[in-house]
Short mmCIF file of all heavy atoms in Angstrom, two decimals:
data_model
loop_
_atom_site.label_atom_id
_atom_site.label_comp_id
_atom_site.label_asym_id
_atom_site.label_seq_id
_atom_site.Cartn_x
_atom_site.Cartn_y
_atom_site.Cartn_z
N MET V 4 -18.07 6.47 24.56
CA MET V 4 -18.64 5.22 24.07
C MET V 4 -17.67 4.07 24.33
O MET V 4 -16.48 4.21 24.08
CB MET V 4 -18.92 5.31 22.57
CG MET V 4 -20.03 6.32 22.26
SD MET V 4 -20.85 6.04 20.68
CE MET V 4 -19.52 6.23 19.56
N ASN V 5 -18.21 2.99 24.83
CA ASN V 5 -17.37 1.82 25.10
C ASN V 5 -17.58 0.76 24.03
O ASN V 5 -18.69 0.30 23.80
CB ASN V 5 -17.74 1.22 26.48
CG ASN V 5 -17.30 2.13 27.60
OD1 ASN V 5 -16.30 2.82 27.46
ND2 ASN V 5 -18.04 2.14 28.70
N TYR V 6 -16.49 0.41 23.37
CA TYR V 6 -16.54 -0.62 22.33
C TYR V 6 -15.94 -1.90 22.88
O TYR V 6 -15.05 -1.87 23.72
CB TYR V 6 -15.75 -0.19 21.10
CG TYR V 6 -16.35 1.00 20.37
CD1 TYR V 6 -15.72 2.24 20.42
CD2 TYR V 6 -17.51 0.88 19.64
CE1 TYR V 6 -16.25 3.34 19.75
CE2 TYR V 6 -18.06 1.96 18.97
CZ TYR V 6 -17.44 3.19 19.03
OH TYR V 6 -17.97 4.26 18.37
N THR V 7 -16.41 -3.01 22.36
CA THR V 7 -15.79 -4.28 22.72
C THR V 7 -14.44 -4.35 22.02
O THR V 7 -14.20 -3.62 21.05
CB THR V 7 -16.67 -5.46 22.25
OG1 THR V 7 -16.71 -5.46 20.83
CG2 THR V 7 -18.08 -5.37 22.79
N PRO V 8 -13.54 -5.20 22.51
CA PRO V 8 -12.22 -5.33 21.85
C PRO V 8 -12.33 -5.64 20.35
O PRO V 8 -11.55 -5.13 19.56
CB PRO V 8 -11.56 -6.47 22.61
CG PRO V 8 -12.17 -6.41 23.96
CD PRO V 8 -13.60 -5.97 23.73
N ASP V 9 -13.31 -6.46 19.98
CA ASP V 9 -13.50 -6.78 18.56
C ASP V 9 -13.87 -5.54 17.76
O ASP V 9 -13.38 -5.33 16.66
CB ASP V 9 -14.59 -7.85 18.38
CG ASP V 9 -14.09 -9.23 18.76
OD1 ASP V 9 -12.86 -9.41 18.86
OD2 ASP V 9 -14.93 -10.13 18.95
N GLU V 10 -14.76 -4.73 18.32
CA GLU V 10 -15.17 -3.49 17.64
C GLU V 10 -14.00 -2.52 17.53
O GLU V 10 -13.84 -1.84 16.51
CB GLU V 10 -16.34 -2.83 18.39
CG GLU V 10 -17.66 -3.57 18.22
CD GLU V 10 -18.77 -3.01 19.09
OE1 GLU V 10 -18.48 -2.50 20.19
OE2 GLU V 10 -19.92 -3.08 18.66
N GLN V 11 -13.19 -2.44 18.58
CA GLN V 11 -12.02 -1.56 18.55
C GLN V 11 -11.04 -1.99 17.46
O GLN V 11 -10.49 -1.16 16.75
CB GLN V 11 -11.32 -1.55 19.91
CG GLN V 11 -12.09 -0.79 20.97
CD GLN V 11 -11.43 -0.87 22.33
OE1 GLN V 11 -10.58 -1.72 22.57
NE2 GLN V 11 -11.83 0.01 23.23
N ASP V 12 -10.84 -3.30 17.32
CA ASP V 12 -9.96 -3.83 16.27
C ASP V 12 -10.49 -3.46 14.89
O ASP V 12 -9.74 -3.07 14.00
CB ASP V 12 -9.83 -5.35 16.38
CG ASP V 12 -8.98 -5.75 17.58
OD1 ASP V 12 -8.25 -4.88 18.11
OD2 ASP V 12 -9.03 -6.93 17.97
N GLU V 13 -11.81 -3.59 14.72
CA GLU V 13 -12.44 -3.27 13.43
C GLU V 13 -12.28 -1.78 13.11
O GLU V 13 -11.94 -1.41 11.99
CB GLU V 13 -13.93 -3.64 13.49
CG GLU V 13 -14.73 -3.30 12.26
CD GLU V 13 -14.33 -4.09 11.03
OE1 GLU V 13 -13.74 -5.18 11.18
OE2 GLU V 13 -14.61 -3.62 9.92
N ILE V 14 -12.50 -0.93 14.10
CA ILE V 14 -12.35 0.52 13.90
C ILE V 14 -10.91 0.86 13.54
O ILE V 14 -10.65 1.63 12.62
CB ILE V 14 -12.80 1.28 15.17
CG1 ILE V 14 -14.32 1.16 15.32
CG2 ILE V 14 -12.38 2.75 15.11
CD1 ILE V 14 -14.83 1.59 16.68
N ARG V 15 -9.97 0.26 14.28
CA ARG V 15 -8.55 0.52 14.02
C ARG V 15 -8.16 0.05 12.61
O ARG V 15 -7.40 0.71 11.91
CB ARG V 15 -7.70 -0.20 15.08
CG ARG V 15 -6.46 0.58 15.44
CD ARG V 15 -5.77 0.02 16.68
NE ARG V 15 -6.33 0.58 17.91
CZ ARG V 15 -6.85 -0.16 18.90
NH1 ARG V 15 -6.89 -1.46 18.81
NH2 ARG V 15 -7.34 0.43 19.96
N ARG V 16 -8.71 -1.10 12.19
CA ARG V 16 -8.41 -1.65 10.87
C ARG V 16 -8.94 -0.71 9.78
O ARG V 16 -8.27 -0.46 8.79
CB ARG V 16 -9.04 -3.03 10.73
CG ARG V 16 -8.53 -3.82 9.55
CD ARG V 16 -9.17 -5.19 9.47
NE ARG V 16 -10.63 -5.10 9.32
CZ ARG V 16 -11.23 -4.80 8.15
NH1 ARG V 16 -10.53 -4.56 7.08
NH2 ARG V 16 -12.55 -4.73 8.09
N ARG V 17 -10.15 -0.19 9.98
CA ARG V 17 -10.73 0.74 9.00
C ARG V 17 -9.91 2.02 8.92
O ARG V 17 -9.70 2.56 7.83
CB ARG V 17 -12.17 1.09 9.38
CG ARG V 17 -13.16 -0.01 9.04
CD ARG V 17 -14.57 0.45 9.30
NE ARG V 17 -15.51 -0.67 9.21
CZ ARG V 17 -16.74 -0.63 9.71
NH1 ARG V 17 -17.15 0.44 10.35
NH2 ARG V 17 -17.53 -1.66 9.58
N GLN V 18 -9.48 2.53 10.08
CA GLN V 18 -8.67 3.76 10.09
C GLN V 18 -7.36 3.54 9.35
O GLN V 18 -6.91 4.40 8.61
CB GLN V 18 -8.38 4.19 11.53
CG GLN V 18 -9.57 4.82 12.23
CD GLN V 18 -9.30 5.13 13.70
OE1 GLN V 18 -8.42 4.51 14.31
NE2 GLN V 18 -10.05 6.05 14.26
N LYS V 19 -6.77 2.36 9.55
CA LYS V 19 -5.49 2.04 8.91
C LYS V 19 -5.66 1.96 7.40
O LYS V 19 -4.86 2.50 6.65
CB LYS V 19 -4.97 0.72 9.46
CG LYS V 19 -3.53 0.46 9.15
CD LYS V 19 -3.04 -0.80 9.87
CE LYS V 19 -1.57 -1.05 9.59
NZ LYS V 19 -1.08 -2.26 10.24
N SER V 20 -6.74 1.31 6.94
CA SER V 20 -6.95 1.18 5.50
C SER V 20 -7.28 2.54 4.89
O SER V 20 -6.84 2.85 3.78
CB SER V 20 -8.06 0.16 5.20
OG SER V 20 -9.30 0.58 5.71
N ARG V 21 -8.02 3.37 5.61
CA ARG V 21 -8.35 4.71 5.11
C ARG V 21 -7.08 5.56 5.01
O ARG V 21 -6.90 6.30 4.04
CB ARG V 21 -9.37 5.38 6.03
CG ARG V 21 -9.98 6.64 5.45
CD ARG V 21 -11.05 7.21 6.35
NE ARG V 21 -12.17 6.29 6.49
CZ ARG V 21 -12.83 6.09 7.63
NH1 ARG V 21 -12.48 6.71 8.73
NH2 ARG V 21 -13.83 5.24 7.67
N ALA V 22 -6.20 5.45 6.00
CA ALA V 22 -4.94 6.19 5.98
C ALA V 22 -4.07 5.73 4.81
O ALA V 22 -3.42 6.55 4.15
CB ALA V 22 -4.20 6.00 7.30
N LEU V 23 -4.07 4.44 4.54
CA LEU V 23 -3.29 3.89 3.44
C LEU V 23 -3.80 4.42 2.10
O LEU V 23 -3.02 4.85 1.25
CB LEU V 23 -3.36 2.36 3.46
CG LEU V 23 -2.47 1.63 2.46
CD1 LEU V 23 -1.01 1.88 2.79
CD2 LEU V 23 -2.77 0.15 2.49
N VAL V 24 -5.11 4.43 1.91
CA VAL V 24 -5.71 4.94 0.68
C VAL V 24 -5.38 6.42 0.51
O VAL V 24 -5.01 6.87 -0.58
CB VAL V 24 -7.25 4.73 0.68
CG1 VAL V 24 -7.92 5.50 -0.45
CG2 VAL V 24 -7.57 3.24 0.57
N THR V 25 -5.48 7.19 1.59
CA THR V 25 -5.16 8.62 1.54
C THR V 25 -3.71 8.83 1.15
O THR V 25 -3.40 9.70 0.33
CB THR V 25 -5.44 9.28 2.91
OG1 THR V 25 -6.80 9.01 3.27
CG2 THR V 25 -5.23 10.78 2.85
N ALA V 26 -2.81 8.04 1.72
CA ALA V 26 -1.39 8.16 1.40
C ALA V 26 -1.13 7.82 -0.07
O ALA V 26 -0.32 8.49 -0.73
CB ALA V 26 -0.58 7.24 2.31
N LEU V 27 -1.79 6.79 -0.58
CA LEU V 27 -1.62 6.41 -1.98
C LEU V 27 -2.11 7.51 -2.92
O LEU V 27 -1.46 7.82 -3.92
CB LEU V 27 -2.35 5.10 -2.27
CG LEU V 27 -1.72 3.85 -1.68
CD1 LEU V 27 -2.64 2.64 -1.89
CD2 LEU V 27 -0.36 3.58 -2.29
N ILE V 28 -3.25 8.11 -2.60
CA ILE V 28 -3.79 9.21 -3.43
C ILE V 28 -2.83 10.40 -3.40
O ILE V 28 -2.54 10.99 -4.44
CB ILE V 28 -5.20 9.61 -2.93
CG1 ILE V 28 -6.19 8.49 -3.25
CG2 ILE V 28 -5.65 10.92 -3.57
CD1 ILE V 28 -7.55 8.67 -2.63
N LEU V 29 -2.33 10.72 -2.22
CA LEU V 29 -1.39 11.83 -2.08
C LEU V 29 -0.12 11.55 -2.89
O LEU V 29 0.38 12.43 -3.61
CB LEU V 29 -1.04 12.02 -0.60
CG LEU V 29 -0.26 13.28 -0.22
CD1 LEU V 29 -1.05 14.52 -0.56
CD2 LEU V 29 0.09 13.25 1.25
N GLY V 30 0.38 10.33 -2.79
CA GLY V 30 1.56 9.93 -3.56
C GLY V 30 1.31 10.03 -5.05
O GLY V 30 2.19 10.46 -5.81
N ALA V 31 0.11 9.65 -5.50
CA ALA V 31 -0.23 9.72 -6.92
C ALA V 31 -0.22 11.18 -7.39
O ALA V 31 0.26 11.48 -8.49
CB ALA V 31 -1.60 9.09 -7.16
N PHE V 32 -0.74 12.10 -6.57
CA PHE V 32 -0.72 13.52 -6.93
C PHE V 32 0.70 14.05 -7.03
O PHE V 32 1.03 14.81 -7.94
CB PHE V 32 -1.51 14.36 -5.90
CG PHE V 32 -2.97 14.45 -6.22
CD1 PHE V 32 -3.92 13.88 -5.38
CD2 PHE V 32 -3.41 15.12 -7.35
CE1 PHE V 32 -5.26 13.96 -5.66
CE2 PHE V 32 -4.76 15.20 -7.65
CZ PHE V 32 -5.69 14.63 -6.80
N VAL V 33 1.55 13.64 -6.10
CA VAL V 33 2.96 14.08 -6.12
C VAL V 33 3.63 13.62 -7.41
O VAL V 33 4.30 14.40 -8.09
CB VAL V 33 3.72 13.54 -4.88
CG1 VAL V 33 5.22 13.75 -5.04
CG2 VAL V 33 3.21 14.22 -3.62
N ILE V 34 3.44 12.36 -7.77
CA ILE V 34 4.02 11.81 -9.00
C ILE V 34 3.46 12.54 -10.23
O ILE V 34 4.19 12.87 -11.17
CB ILE V 34 3.77 10.29 -9.09
CG1 ILE V 34 4.59 9.58 -8.01
CG2 ILE V 34 4.12 9.76 -10.47
CD1 ILE V 34 4.20 8.13 -7.79
N LEU V 35 2.15 12.82 -10.19
CA LEU V 35 1.51 13.53 -11.30
C LEU V 35 2.12 14.92 -11.49
O LEU V 35 2.48 15.30 -12.61
CB LEU V 35 0.00 13.63 -11.03
CG LEU V 35 -0.86 14.18 -12.15
CD1 LEU V 35 -0.87 13.21 -13.33
CD2 LEU V 35 -2.28 14.41 -11.66
N PHE V 36 2.24 15.68 -10.39
CA PHE V 36 2.83 17.02 -10.49
C PHE V 36 4.28 16.96 -10.94
O PHE V 36 4.74 17.79 -11.72
CB PHE V 36 2.74 17.75 -9.13
CG PHE V 36 1.41 18.39 -8.90
CD1 PHE V 36 0.51 17.86 -8.00
CD2 PHE V 36 1.05 19.54 -9.61
CE1 PHE V 36 -0.73 18.44 -7.80
CE2 PHE V 36 -0.19 20.13 -9.42
CZ PHE V 36 -1.08 19.58 -8.50
N TYR V 37 5.01 15.97 -10.47
CA TYR V 37 6.41 15.78 -10.86
C TYR V 37 6.50 15.52 -12.36
O TYR V 37 7.31 16.12 -13.07
CB TYR V 37 6.99 14.61 -10.06
CG TYR V 37 8.47 14.39 -10.26
CD1 TYR V 37 9.39 15.32 -9.78
CD2 TYR V 37 8.94 13.25 -10.92
CE1 TYR V 37 10.76 15.11 -9.95
CE2 TYR V 37 10.29 13.04 -11.10
CZ TYR V 37 11.20 13.97 -10.61
OH TYR V 37 12.54 13.77 -10.79
N ALA V 38 5.64 14.64 -12.86
CA ALA V 38 5.64 14.30 -14.29
C ALA V 38 5.26 15.52 -15.14
O ALA V 38 5.86 15.77 -16.18
CB ALA V 38 4.66 13.15 -14.54
N ILE V 39 4.28 16.29 -14.68
CA ILE V 39 3.86 17.48 -15.41
C ILE V 39 4.98 18.51 -15.48
O ILE V 39 5.24 19.10 -16.52
CB ILE V 39 2.58 18.10 -14.78
CG1 ILE V 39 1.39 17.19 -15.05
CG2 ILE V 39 2.33 19.50 -15.32
CD1 ILE V 39 0.14 17.57 -14.27
N SER V 40 5.68 18.70 -14.36
CA SER V 40 6.77 19.69 -14.34
C SER V 40 7.91 19.26 -15.24
O SER V 40 8.53 20.09 -15.93
CB SER V 40 7.27 19.92 -12.90
OG SER V 40 7.83 18.75 -12.38
N ILE V 41 8.19 17.98 -15.32
CA ILE V 41 9.24 17.48 -16.24
C ILE V 41 8.79 17.66 -17.68
O ILE V 41 9.57 18.09 -18.54
CB ILE V 41 9.56 16.00 -15.94
CG1 ILE V 41 10.36 15.90 -14.64
CG2 ILE V 41 10.35 15.38 -17.09
CD1 ILE V 41 10.66 14.50 -14.19
N ALA V 42 7.53 17.37 -17.96
CA ALA V 42 7.00 17.50 -19.31
C ALA V 42 7.07 18.96 -19.78
O ALA V 42 7.34 19.24 -20.95
CB ALA V 42 5.56 17.00 -19.37
N LYS V 43 6.84 19.90 -18.87
CA LYS V 43 6.92 21.33 -19.23
C LYS V 43 8.33 21.75 -19.56
O LYS V 43 8.54 22.65 -20.36
CB LYS V 43 6.37 22.19 -18.08
CG LYS V 43 4.85 22.23 -18.00
CD LYS V 43 4.40 23.18 -16.91
CE LYS V 43 2.89 23.28 -16.87
NZ LYS V 43 2.45 24.20 -15.82
N MET V 44 9.31 21.13 -18.91
CA MET V 44 10.72 21.51 -19.15
C MET V 44 11.23 21.00 -20.51
O MET V 44 12.16 21.56 -21.06
CB MET V 44 11.61 20.96 -18.04
CG MET V 44 11.51 21.74 -16.75
SD MET V 44 12.79 21.28 -15.57
CE MET V 44 12.19 19.71 -15.00
N LEU V 45 10.64 19.94 -21.01
CA LEU V 45 11.12 19.35 -22.26
C LEU V 45 10.76 20.21 -23.48
O LEU V 45 9.79 20.89 -23.49
CB LEU V 45 10.53 17.95 -22.44
CG LEU V 45 10.96 16.93 -21.38
CD1 LEU V 45 10.25 15.61 -21.61
CD2 LEU V 45 12.48 16.70 -21.44
#
């Protein structure tokens, strides 16, 4: 499929924002597990 440069920019922008959201969710899970493990040790 051939996209115009504008469409390619839009697709790339969406991929970037989706990757950012995924990274934030992953980071939130890591912090959550870290907090739970510390709470169990106390």
